[in-house]
Amino acid sequence: MQKKYWVGWLLASGLLLGTLSYRDVLSTQGAPGLKSIHPSCGLAGCHQASPNTLRGSLISVSMRAGLIQIDTGQNLDVYFDDNTSIVNWKESLGKISRGTPVKIVYTDRDGKRYATLISVKPPMSVPPEQRISFEEVKKLWESKGALIIDVRPPAKHAEGHIPNTINIPFPKLEEQLPKVAPDKNQLIVFYCEGPR
């Protein structure tokens, strides 16, 4: 049986190891040229653009102004209020970390976007017995004692990754893992963006 470990960090090498070309995914409604879905969210097997929906990474939240900024490939402002539904988040919106993936469903009023729903992508939960420390991963990487797989979207992998690792986005893991790791006794370490 394959041993699988998850590691919640990204080795910061400081190197841009490659770039990918992405087509801009445009919304089917709203302002012409509005980028409604970040390229890393719109990859095959992930999400699709839909009307009045933004998907991307949180830039900032101003509780006083009732304003959330999201990076969808362009920086967009969306207002929120007490009527906005919040999903997968129990604390104040002001406590969401920068870079957290979010989905915002909105309506247009007076030339501004107002959120009807803000959904925060919850972090993945991994049992403690399946976690591994940075030092252990470093030893396995140096000795080539494990297959190390980056389960982030290709756009994130292209921004920087641990050298000599394989990129299999999480939605495709079940399909592709048997092809890259046919030995069921092989030690496998998965990594992603880590805790938020």
Side-chain angles (χ1 to χ4, degrees):
M1 179 177 188
Q2 291 172 327
K3 290 185 182 178
K4 300 174 185 173
Y5 293 100
W6 290 86
V7 70
W9 54 271
L10 171 61
L11 183 63
S13 64
L15 299 175
L16 179 61
L17 299 168
T19 58
L20 296 176
S21 297
Y22 298 102
R23 60 178 166 64
D24 290 339
V25 183
L26 304 179
S27 72
T28 55
Q29 284 187 347
L34 173 72
K35 293 181 182 179
S36 65
I37 185 167
H38 194 276
S40 65
C41 299
L43 296 169
C46 287
H47 306 287
Q48 293 183 340
S50 54
N52 291 57
T53 302
L54 304 173
R55 290 182 184 272
S57 300
L58 179 84
I59 298 171
S60 66
V61 175
S62 170
M63 296 303 291
R64 181 170 285 189
L67 181 69
I68 186 168
Q69 292 182 314
I70 180 174
D71 175 8
T72 62
Q74 69 186 96
N75 295 347
L76 300 173
D77 294 341
V78 183
Y79 292 90
F80 63 89
D81 57 27
D82 292 338
N83 296 319
T84 303
S85 297
I86 311 298
V87 179
N88 298 324
W89 192 255
K90 303 291 183 209
E91 300 179 55
S92 163
L93 286 176
K95 294 191 176 189
I96 302 173
S97 300
R98 180 181 177 94
T100 298
V102 293
K103 171 180 124 178
I104 300 174
V105 179
Y106 68 93
T107 59
D108 287 311
R109 279 186 291 177
D110 304 321
K112 296 180 182 176
R113 291 179 203 87
Y114 288 87
T116 57
L117 176 132
I118 298 173
S119 178
V120 179
K121 183 176 181 180
M124 191 172 208
S125 177
V126 178
E129 65 274 6
Q130 290 184 328
R131 296 181 192 170
I132 187 169
S133 73
F134 172 81
E135 292 78 21
E136 292 172 294
V137 173
K138 186 176 178 189
K139 287 178 188 173
L140 288 169
W141 179 80
E142 288 170 346
S143 69
K144 298 182 178 157
L147 178 62
I148 302 177
I149 299 177
D150 178 351
V151 295
R152 299 172 302 145
K156 296 290 185 182
H157 182 78
E159 288 174 4
H161 59 272
I162 300 170
N164 303 317
T165 58
I166 296 172
N167 179 226
I168 303 176
F170 188 76
K172 296 185 176 189
L173 196 58
E174 191 174 334
E175 170 195 334
Q176 293 184 10
L177 188 59
K179 297 172 189 168
V180 298
D183 179 359
K184 297 202 182 285
N185 294 314
Q186 183 173 16
L187 177 63
I188 302 173
V189 176
F190 300 94
Y191 75 94
C192 58
E193 289 184 88
R196 296 191 289 274

